[in-house]
Amino acid sequence: MSGQSLLVPGEITPIRSVPGKIRRPEYVGKPAPTPYTGPEVQDADTVERMRIAGRIAAQAMAEAAKHIAPGVTTDELDRVAHEFMCDHGAYPSTLGYRGFPKSLCTSLNEVICHGIPDSTVLRDGDIVNLDVTAYINGVHGDNNATYLCGDVDEESRLLVERTEESLKRAIKAVRPGRQVNVIGRVIESYAKRFGYGVVRDFTGHGINSSFHSGLIIPHYDSPRATTVMQPGMTFTIEPMLTLGSHDYDMWDDGWTVVTKDRRRTAQFEHTLVVTETGAEILTLP
């Protein structure tokens, strides 16, 4: 296991500006988004717009990932993704969502999700999750991945590889007519082979014109997740696996979620649309 010291909050830089010509999601400037009341199944036009949003999000994440190296701050990764999305006419969906102050989430090592980019400096041996969502043409595309920074220990490297594999297996399990709990069943059964914890309280979600539509996609085998998948349904799958317990604590910032035992965790995510025969990934660069 890595001998890295635990993370502490850094300094957060001022909120970055977005050109006025770029359309904002309705929740910007509000304490919370308006609850979504539309369908989970989207028409072809909406799906096509989501392909565009998803592609920009994937490209922005890839651009930020190029800068992952020891000595780089997480705020610098935020700057890169922010500028990429704005340059491509997209609004960074996290910026202003329920007051979140940055344009992507950077979750390092023991941070499960929702880490706020700040003055934290990446260290050799860190694992770094980038979570990027782009909003353009009235819809969102959401993806994330965990990257290695420098020379990463074997236990952490395997965790990252296997978390990505769990997402791939879950995507293959998507079929019209199946309940969404098959997704979590596949992830949990794979994770248990290695003794990993599967985070339960943070899930995949419906996404479309709404960042989080209300549809929940658990990453464990939940008997309550009985929604039946239908062609045109759009949602994310984003498993979070841990080296130890799935229990968590939250920092005082109200966002940063860390493993209770402070062991490492990894996450991968794609936005999908259910097709007649399976799933299409919408967040491809």
Side-chain angles (χ1 to χ4, degrees):
M1 179 179 174
S2 168
Q4 294 279 40
S5 59
L6 297 179
L7 294 164
V8 295
E11 296 294 322
I12 299 175
T13 59
I15 292 174
R16 292 187 162 88
S17 63
V18 176
K21 65 183 180 181
I22 293 178
R23 178 179 172 184
R24 273 75 169 151
E26 60 82 23
Y27 53 74
V28 174
K30 296 165 54 178
T34 301
Y36 179 72
T37 58
E40 298 297 346
V41 172
Q42 306 304 311
D43 60 26
D45 173 69
T46 301
V47 172
E48 178 56 32
R49 286 183 284 128
M50 289 182 67
R51 285 191 187 95
I52 295 169
R55 183 167 63 248
I56 292 172
Q59 291 171 340
M61 184 174 72
E63 192 64 30
K66 292 178 184 177
H67 294 75
I68 291 175
V72 176
T73 65
T74 55
D75 186 68
E76 173 65 8
L77 303 180
D78 179 79
R79 182 194 66 79
V80 172
H82 177 94
E83 292 183 357
F84 185 96
M85 284 185 274
C86 291
D87 288 347
H88 289 78
Y91 185 92
S93 300
T94 60
L95 186 61
Y97 180 77
R98 297 184 181 272
F100 192 84
K102 290 295 174 178
S103 298
L104 81 167
C105 300
T106 49
S107 301
L108 280 58
N109 301 338
E110 70 269 21
V111 179
I112 295 171
C113 57
H114 304 160
I116 301 174
D118 58 18
S119 60
T120 296
V121 176
L122 301 182
R123 302 166 296 182
D124 185 61
D126 284 340
I127 59 173
V128 185
N129 180 269
L130 303 181
D131 193 338
V132 181
T133 311
Y135 177 80
I136 189 170
N137 298 325
V139 296
H140 301 267
D142 185 3
N143 69 162
N144 77 54
T146 303
Y147 300 89
L148 309 181
C149 181
D151 185 16
V152 174
D153 68 274
E154 179 76 355
E155 185 179 44
S156 299
R157 185 183 63 77
L158 286 173
L159 173 68
V160 171
E161 289 181 3
R162 290 165 176 168
T163 304
E164 183 174 22
E165 176 65 19
S166 77
L167 173 60
K168 291 177 180 178
R169 290 175 179 233
I171 292 171
K172 289 180 181 177
V174 172
R175 291 285 188 283
R178 291 180 174 176
Q179 294 181 346
V180 297
N181 58 11
V182 70
I183 293 168
R185 189 176 309 134
V186 166
I187 292 168
E188 187 172 41
S189 63
Y190 180 71
K192 281 183 174 179
R193 290 168 50 182
F194 311 104
Y196 296 154
V198 180
V199 173
R200 291 172 169 246
D201 289 353
F202 300 90
T203 68
H205 53 89
I207 184 170
N208 37 67
S209 60
S210 172
F211 195 172
H212 299 86
S213 71
L215 174 65
I216 294 173
I217 309 294
H219 302 122
Y220 63 99
D221 188 3
S222 170
R224 294 176 294 178
T226 57
T227 300
V228 174
M229 291 181 272
Q230 303 174 58
M233 187 177 287
T234 51
F235 53 81
T236 72
I237 304 176
E238 45 188 298
M240 292 153 261
L241 305 187
T242 68
L243 288 175
S245 170
H246 63 74
D247 294 328
Y248 67 92
D249 293 320
M250 186 174 288
W251 283 3
D252 291 342
D253 61 22
W255 283 104
T256 306
V257 180
V258 296
T259 54
K260 186 171 282 292
D261 58 14
R262 302 304 190 264
R263 298 196 70 192
R264 287 189 165 188
T265 176
Q267 182 184 16
F268 283 83
E269 173 187 20
H270 276 304
T271 295
L272 313 170
V273 59
V274 180
T275 68
E276 296 292 342
T277 57
E280 177 192 347
I281 298 172
L282 299 178
T283 39
L284 292 175

